[in-house]
């Protein structure tokens, strides 16, 4: 199974061009070789130079496109660079022994299901999965298929539909007033979540079929009551990576208030930069909100959730509009150009039919109901017979095929997070 | 055992639902875009035609088999479709020959001007032609030859992959014609009684090349060979549509091909006065297609050529065709 996974991963990765391949090979070999020497007396130097060499490529890949230079466009660089850094630091700190088997290490780096959108896997977790004797079982197939279909449902039925609305509004900031801009922001929260978590569901489902269990990357993020909690629930593999390899090394919370605030802001600036240069301000504002944590919390749980959802949504503006200037302009339009009647009159002229809206509302409700009662629903499904699960798979497949946004006439974009 | 049966039953139920959804969501082409239902109407016909027309709209709008029957007792059928390209005509003819071997095949050469890079190649026209064709080796070949880059073969097998977004456009028609076709033509002829005169005669615009594409020639040769192998007389025609402009250079190439292959070629653009076509009254769209009056004149004219020059039978008095003719005459009133 490992060999099959490796060959498939390499083949798929290569299909995106050989230039990508050079960068990933560089990351893999430098970190594999460096890992062997981290215990030596020059270990600290080797750690520093290897992390620098890999990190600089990642940073350049983020900055150079803004200077119209695209010589580094390595697919998955944002994900595998973080993976090699976590491996190097963990080995240096003695959390586990360096890997001596290049094949196992290569599989960790190349493992194709997650290389485009994550999650960011730690080596200790992946090695456990690589070493275990894997087999394709009926149980794994059922669970994997259901997870893939759930991911496709989110991506094609929900995200694809919202993308049409958000695309229409965001591409014409001058035409649409603040009411439309706010609508786009709130919807984008749903689009990004269904797109990203849908992609992760597919990764998890494919991995499950191959008998590889990956850690969850989301925990119902829009149920968070403040931004701090949001980051414990959203893109968990990135936020925990930032905590372990940026925030804690900077001193974490065991220091003065000012230093703690500094550490938090730096961590969120790094998070912003990881997404791209345009997102630095977004990361900084998130950092500010994290610092103020519970200050704006009310006594009412659901009200807190709504407030937090609105804050997160408004901040997604930096993801919706291509430049920081446009994002700020869109946010300001909510306060200085908000025309609700114009919005109400034109809601059916944004690219979706009434039928589409109905499908979108129902499917979003399903998404949030599932998020709210995830464990209950999963246990219920698990307790059912194979026949019953087959019915669920069939119903889901028919729903996705009928109500999905795909095919000629629709532009199904790649997963949003594959661009980071 | 009991469990296995349960699983099989579940699978069968899903296959039935899936097949139903495929059928339901596929356009029925019954009252709008009726061109999409023309190709499949042939399957319900008696297969005893002595003349088969193949080609684009210039055949299904301009030649009326019922008029030809009334005029000369000819049993003809038009297997035309919108913007039918020459490779499509070839595979459609191949499919037709599986059902019957006519004495004469009439091919309208207008499509020779369109190669595979032409803007005439479009998914919409492909769908109109292919969607309702019966599955056969020829249909598979036709799809493979016709698909644009954006299309996929699987979406022809499972139309739900193409038409799923119609879920909120379904009308009564989609349920009414779920398991049947609406007959919109008379032996493949689509009646149009509107009148829109030709106001401007097309001017000859310079083209980069007047040479027909090599692939188009290949398919024309394939059509020729297929007819010869089956003992069929292939007749090349150019319908008297004034748009799009038919160049002398095109005409010469067809003449030369016809001569080399011992075929007859009739360019009706050269004999419009003899036919009696009045472009003020006989077209429904300013000269692209004949209306009912124009098609009637042209069909009578061509019926006489066919009966006089080819070994065709005069079926006048045929019970079935007399009935059809009565229906047709009622329809054109």
């Amino acid at each position: 199974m490992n060999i099959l996974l490796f060959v498939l991963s390499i083949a798929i990765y290569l299909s995106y061009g050989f230039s990508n391949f050079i960068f990933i090979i560089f990351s893999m070999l430098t970190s594999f070789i460096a890992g062997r020497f981290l215990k030596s007396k020059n270990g600290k130097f080797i750690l520093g130079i290897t992390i620098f060499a890999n990190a600089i490529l990642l940073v350049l890949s983020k900055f150079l496109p803004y200077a119209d230079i695209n010589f580094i466009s390595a697919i998955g660089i944002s994900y595998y660079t973080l993976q090699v850094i976590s491996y190097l630091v963990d080995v240096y700190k003695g959390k586990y022994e360096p890997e001596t088997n290049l094949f196992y290490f290569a599989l960790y780096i190349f493992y194709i299901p997650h290389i485009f959108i994550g999650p960011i896997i730690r080596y200790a977790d992946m090695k456990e999965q690589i070493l275990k004797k894997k087999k394709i079982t009926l149980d794994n197939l059922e669970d994997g298929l259901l997870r893939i279909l759930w991911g496709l449902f989110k991506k094609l039925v929900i995200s694809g539909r919202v993308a049409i609305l958000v695309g229409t509004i965001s591409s014409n900031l001058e035409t649409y007033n603040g009411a439309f801009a706010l609508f786009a922001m709130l919807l984008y929260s749903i689009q990004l979540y269904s797109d990203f978590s849908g992609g992760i569901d597919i990764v998890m489902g494919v991995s499950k079929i191959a008998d590889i269990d990956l850690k969850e990357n989301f925990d119902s993020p829009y149920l968070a009551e403040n931004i701090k909690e949001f980051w414990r629930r959203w893109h968990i593999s990135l936020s925990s990576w930032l905590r372990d390899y940026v925030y804690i090394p900077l001193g974490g919370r065991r220091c003065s208030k000012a230093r703690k605030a500094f550490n938090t802001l730096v961590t969120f600036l790094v998070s912003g930069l990881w997404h791209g240069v345009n997102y630095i301000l977004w990361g900084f504002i998130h950092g500010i909100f994290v610092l103020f944590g519970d200050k704006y919390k009310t006594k009412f749980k659901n009200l807190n959730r709504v407030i937090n959802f609105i804050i997160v949504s408004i901040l997604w503006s930096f993801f919706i509009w291509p430049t920081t200037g446009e994002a700020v302009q869109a946010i300001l339009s909510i306060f200085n150009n908000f025309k609700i009647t114009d919005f109400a009159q034109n809601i059916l002229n944004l690219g979706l039919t009434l039928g589409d809206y109905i499908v979108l509302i129902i499917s979003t409700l399903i998404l949030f109901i599932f998020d709210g009662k995830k464990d209950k629903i999963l246990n219920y499904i698990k307790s059912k017979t194979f026949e019953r699960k087959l019915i669920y798979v069939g119903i889901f497949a028919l729903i996705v095929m009928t109500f999905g946004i795909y095919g000629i006439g629709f532009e199904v974009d790649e997963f949003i997070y594959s661009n980071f | 055992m009991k469990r296995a049966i349960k699983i099989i039953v579940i699978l069968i139920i899903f296959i039935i639902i899936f097949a139903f959804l495929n059928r339901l969501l596929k356009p029925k082409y019954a009252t709008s875009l009726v061109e999409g239902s023309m190709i499949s109407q042939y399957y319900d016909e008696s297969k005893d035609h002595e003349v088969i027309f193949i080609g684009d709209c210039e055949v299904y709008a301009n030649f009326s088999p019922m008029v030809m029957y009334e005029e000369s007792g000819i049993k003809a059928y038009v297997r035309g479709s919108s913007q039918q390209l020459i490779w499509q005509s070839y595979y459609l003819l191949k499919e037709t020959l599986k059902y019957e071997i006519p004495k004469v095949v009439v091919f309208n050469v207008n499509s020779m001007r369109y190669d595979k890079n032409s803007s005439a190649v479009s998914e919409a026209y492909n769908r109109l032609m292919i969607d309702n064709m019966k599955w056969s080796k020829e249909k598979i070949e036709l799809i493979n030859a016709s698909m644009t880059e954006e299309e996929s073969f699987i979406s022809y097998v499972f139309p739900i992959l193409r038409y799923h977004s119609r879920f909120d456009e379904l009308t009564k028609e989609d349920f009414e014609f779920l398991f049947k076709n609406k007959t919109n033509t008379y032996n493949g002829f689509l009646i149009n009684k509107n009148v829109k005169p030709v106001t401007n005669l097309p001017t000859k615009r310079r083209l980069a090349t007047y040479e027909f594409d090599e692939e188009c020639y290949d398919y024309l040769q394939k059509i020729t060979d297929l007819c010869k192998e089956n003992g069929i007389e292939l007749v090349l025609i150019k319908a008297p549509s004034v748009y799009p402009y038919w160049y002398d250079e095109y005409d010469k190439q067809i003449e030369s091909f016809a001569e080399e292959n011992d075929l007859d070629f009739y360019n009706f653009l050269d004999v419009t006065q003899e036919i009696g076509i009045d472009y003020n009254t006989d077209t429904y769209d300013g000269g692209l297609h004949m209306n009912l009056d124009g098609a009637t004149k042209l069909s009578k004219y061509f019926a006489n050529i066919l009966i006089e020059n080819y070994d065709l039978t005069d079926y006048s008095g045929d019970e079935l065709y007399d009935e059809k003719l009565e229906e047709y005459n009622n329809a054109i009133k």
Side-chain angles (χ1 to χ4, degrees):
Chain A
M1 178 68 87
N2 283 338
I3 293 172
L4 179 70
L5 282 172
F6 183 71
V7 171
L8 273 177
S9 297
I10 296 281
I12 294 171
Y13 199 82
L14 269 176
S15 71
Y16 285 88
F18 192 72
S19 59
N20 291 305
F21 201 61
I22 296 168
F23 291 104
I24 197 169
I25 287 282
F26 172 80
S27 277
M28 184 193 72
L29 287 178
T30 50
S31 49
F32 177 76
I33 295 165
R36 306 287 297 272
F37 298 99
L38 289 176
K39 292 280 168 62
S40 69
K41 64 175 181 181
N42 294 324
K44 202 170 184 175
F45 174 74
I46 294 169
L47 175 73
I49 197 87
T50 318
I51 288 179
F52 178 77
N54 280 282
I56 197 71
L57 286 178
L58 175 60
V59 172
L60 287 176
S61 77
K62 302 286 178 187
F63 275 104
L64 289 182
Y66 293 93
D68 275 340
I69 303 169
N70 280 309
F71 86 94
I72 300 175
S73 59
I75 290 182
I77 192 166
S78 300
Y79 296 97
Y80 64 71
T81 305
L82 299 198
Q83 292 194 176
V84 299
I85 292 174
S86 69
Y87 167 76
L88 291 166
V89 173
D90 288 353
V91 170
Y92 179 74
K93 285 187 170 174
K95 281 190 182 170
Y96 43 80
E97 288 300 308
E99 182 54 66
T100 52
N101 185 321
L102 182 59
F103 173 69
Y104 289 164
F105 193 72
L107 191 53
Y108 165 60
I109 301 294
F110 273 103
Y111 183 61
I112 204 72
H114 82 282
I115 211 159
F116 300 108
I117 56 163
I120 300 150
I121 311 168
R122 307 288 177 89
Y123 189 65
D125 297 331
M126 191 61 183
K127 185 159 184 184
E128 198 184 307
Q129 302 298 321
I130 291 171
L131 288 182
K132 83 174 183 194
K133 199 169 165 39
K134 291 180 279 295
K135 53 184 175 189
I136 295 173
T137 64
L138 205 57
D139 273 352
N140 285 345
L141 198 65
E142 290 166 7
D143 294 349
L145 268 180
L146 269 171
R147 190 83 196 244
I148 291 169
L149 284 170
W150 178 236
L152 286 172
F153 172 77
K154 288 195 221 172
K155 169 71 183 164
L156 299 178
V157 181
I158 303 176
S159 172
R161 249 181 200 85
V162 181
I164 296 171
L165 290 173
V166 175
T168 306
I169 297 168
S170 66
S171 61
N172 219 330
L173 192 56
E174 302 303 322
T175 310
Y176 296 108
N177 67 60
F180 290 94
L182 181 62
F183 187 54
M185 293 169 200
L186 296 173
L187 282 175
Y188 189 76
S189 282
I190 297 166
Q191 183 192 345
L192 186 62
Y193 177 49
S194 49
D195 187 281
F196 189 16
S197 70
I200 293 289
D201 285 327
I202 294 168
V203 171
M204 305 284 255
V206 171
S207 299
K208 186 75 192 167
I209 291 170
D211 202 12
I212 287 179
D213 292 301
L214 302 178
K215 282 188 176 164
E216 292 293 340
N217 207 31
F218 294 93
D219 180 19
S220 312
Y222 294 131
L223 296 183
E225 291 183 59
N226 59 24
I227 298 288
K228 198 172 172 183
E229 188 190 348
F230 173 77
W231 279 103
R232 281 201 298 269
R233 292 167 171 268
W234 175 270
H235 204 347
I236 296 166
S237 64
L238 175 67
S239 44
S240 62
W241 189 97
L242 289 167
R243 181 196 62 210
D244 294 345
Y245 303 102
V246 180
Y247 183 67
I248 291 174
L250 283 171
R253 39 197 281 183
R254 289 180 191 160
C255 46
S256 68
K257 264 190 174 177
R259 177 71 198 200
K260 197 178 134 190
F262 173 79
N263 295 344
T264 303
L265 287 179
V266 169
T267 306
F268 276 92
L269 280 173
V270 173
S271 170
L273 177 62
W274 180 85
H275 287 83
V277 176
N278 270 345
Y279 308 97
I280 294 176
L281 182 59
W282 166 80
F284 181 75
I285 299 171
H286 264 274
I288 299 281
F289 271 104
V290 168
L291 285 181
F292 286 96
D294 291 336
K295 298 282 189 294
Y296 57 91
K297 237 174 140 177
T298 70
K299 281 188 284 181
F300 309 102
K301 209 174 179 178
N302 286 331
L303 181 61
N304 292 336
R305 285 172 172 168
V306 172
I307 292 170
N308 195 55
F309 180 76
I310 293 170
I311 292 170
V312 172
S313 300
I314 290 175
L315 292 180
W316 286 138
S317 298
F318 295 93
F319 281 59
I320 304 173
W321 281 276
T323 62
T324 304
E326 283 171 279
V328 171
Q329 193 189 334
I331 294 170
L332 290 177
S333 74
I334 300 172
F335 303 102
N336 60 26
N337 184 23
F338 196 90
K339 293 172 188 161
I340 195 75
T341 44
D342 188 20
F343 170 72
Q345 282 164 1
N346 286 296
I347 193 162
L348 284 174
N349 299 326
L350 299 172
L352 289 194
T353 61
L354 185 62
D356 282 319
Y357 274 108
I358 293 168
V359 171
L360 181 59
I361 291 166
I362 293 172
S363 51
T364 307
L365 279 175
I366 292 172
L367 173 67
F368 285 110
I369 289 169
F370 178 81
D371 261 9
K373 298 180 185 295
K374 193 155 65 181
D375 294 334
K376 223 174 169 179
I377 295 170
L378 285 177
N379 287 335
Y380 172 80
I381 294 171
K382 267 191 197 318
S383 69
K384 293 296 158 192
T385 59
F386 173 76
E387 294 89 303
R388 189 62 76 89
K389 284 184 191 168
L390 190 65
I391 293 173
Y392 295 150
V393 168
I395 291 172
F396 243 114
L398 290 177
I399 289 174
V400 171
M401 258 189 278
T402 309
F403 298 112
I405 296 286
Y406 62 91
I408 292 174
F410 301 108
E411 279 182 30
V412 184
D413 290 331
E414 54 192 0
F415 288 102
I416 296 169
Y417 256 76
S418 65
N419 296 316
F420 297 134
Chain B
M1 188 63 187
K2 210 175 154 189
R3 198 175 176 208
I5 293 171
K6 240 180 175 179
I7 292 169
I8 291 167
V9 169
I10 291 170
L11 288 175
I12 290 171
I13 290 171
F14 272 113
I15 290 168
I16 291 170
I17 297 173
F18 182 60
F20 173 80
L21 284 174
N22 271 287
R23 219 168 234 277
L24 180 66
L25 290 165
K26 191 165 80 170
K28 308 301 177 293
Y29 305 116
T31 52
S32 62
L33 283 173
V34 292
E35 292 86 345
S37 63
M38 285 163 41
I39 289 293
S40 61
Q41 283 165 31
Y42 172 74
Y43 304 121
D44 302 327
E45 287 291 321
S46 60
K47 308 289 189 302
D48 55 355
H49 309 106
E50 288 197 342
V51 179
I52 294 283
F53 286 77
I54 49 168
D56 53 16
C57 52
E58 290 191 5
V59 291
Y60 71 68
N62 295 351
F63 295 94
S64 168
M66 285 301 110
V67 171
M68 296 177 113
Y69 172 72
E70 193 173 27
E71 182 74 9
S72 308
I74 294 171
K75 285 188 176 182
Y77 196 93
V78 179
R79 291 212 82 186
S81 59
S82 294
Q83 200 70 75
Q84 190 180 105
L85 300 160
I86 190 164
W87 44 93
Q88 297 174 327
S89 299
Y90 169 66
Y91 292 114
L92 193 66
L93 177 61
K94 258 180 100 176
E95 190 217 28
T96 311
L97 298 188
K98 283 169 71 171
Y99 294 99
E100 59 180 330
I101 304 291
K103 287 183 176 170
V104 174
V105 164
V106 179
F107 173 60
N108 185 58
V109 294
N110 187 48
S111 58
M112 280 295 285
R113 68 169 91 214
Y114 303 119
D115 63 27
K116 283 194 172 168
N117 298 315
S118 154
S119 59
V121 179
S122 87
E123 194 248 352
Y125 287 122
N126 285 345
R127 287 287 173 180
L128 285 176
M129 181 181 184
I130 301 168
D131 265 350
N132 287 329
M133 257 181 99
K134 274 190 180 173
W135 278 100
S136 64
K137 184 172 154 269
E138 289 72 29
K139 176 168 176 171
I140 294 169
E141 289 172 329
L142 197 156
I143 294 171
N144 283 327
S146 305
M147 270 191 305
T148 57
E149 259 181 41
E150 60 183 348
E151 292 180 80
S152 61
F153 186 86
I154 188 100
S155 68
Y156 281 96
V157 182
F158 303 117
I160 190 173
L161 300 177
R162 172 64 184 91
Y163 296 117
H164 56 96
S165 61
R166 289 191 71 244
F167 76 91
D168 64 345
E169 292 166 17
L170 295 176
T171 62
K172 206 177 136 197
E173 176 182 309
D174 287 289
F175 294 92
E176 195 180 340
F177 296 101
L178 199 56
F179 299 107
K180 60 179 183 190
N181 279 324
K182 184 165 191 285
T183 305
N184 289 305
T185 69
Y186 292 85
N187 277 34
F189 171 65
L190 191 64
I191 300 170
N192 193 317
K193 299 178 196 171
N194 296 332
V195 179
K196 189 181 174 194
V198 177
T199 47
N200 295 309
L201 275 171
T203 48
K204 184 179 176 178
R205 285 190 313 168
R206 279 179 74 88
L207 300 181
T209 177
Y210 298 91
E211 287 286 308
F212 292 138
D213 185 68
E214 216 170 289
E215 200 173 1
C216 293
Y217 266 122
D218 286 347
Y219 277 105
L220 186 57
Q221 192 62 56
K222 281 182 178 181
I223 291 172
T224 308
D225 295 344
L226 187 63
C227 288
K228 280 188 180 155
E229 283 161 23
N230 287 281
I232 301 165
E233 288 255 27
L234 175 64
V235 176
L236 305 179
I237 59 160
K238 170 67 190 80
S241 300
V242 289
Y243 286 102
Y245 190 84
W246 182 253
Y247 293 87
D248 289 342
E249 290 85 347
Y250 289 168
D251 216 49
K252 281 182 188 132
Q253 288 173 81
I254 296 294
E255 275 173 6
S256 151
F257 182 88
E259 205 177 309
E260 279 167 30
N261 290 277
D262 199 19
L263 304 174
D264 292 333
F265 170 47
Y266 301 94
N267 182 350
F268 295 113
L269 281 164
D270 296 339
V271 285
T272 52
Q273 282 192 331
E274 209 177 301
I275 300 168
I277 293 170
D278 178 350
Y279 285 106
N280 286 313
T281 56
D282 291 345
T283 102
Y284 65 79
D285 50 9
L288 272 86
H289 308 96
M290 297 286 106
N291 59 17
L292 179 64
D293 287 345
T296 304
K297 290 174 188 171
L298 180 61
S299 303
K300 282 182 181 174
Y301 181 84
F302 192 39
N304 285 314
I305 292 176
L306 288 170
I307 200 83
E308 280 167 22
N309 296 287
Y310 304 93
D311 184 24
L312 300 177
T313 317
D314 180 351
Y315 286 99
S316 300
D318 182 280
E319 210 174 308
L320 179 68
Y321 267 67
D322 280 348
E323 251 177 59
K324 280 184 160 194
L325 184 59
E326 203 184 323
E327 269 177 46
Y328 176 75
N329 285 330
N330 286 332
I332 61 172
K333 268 178 195 164

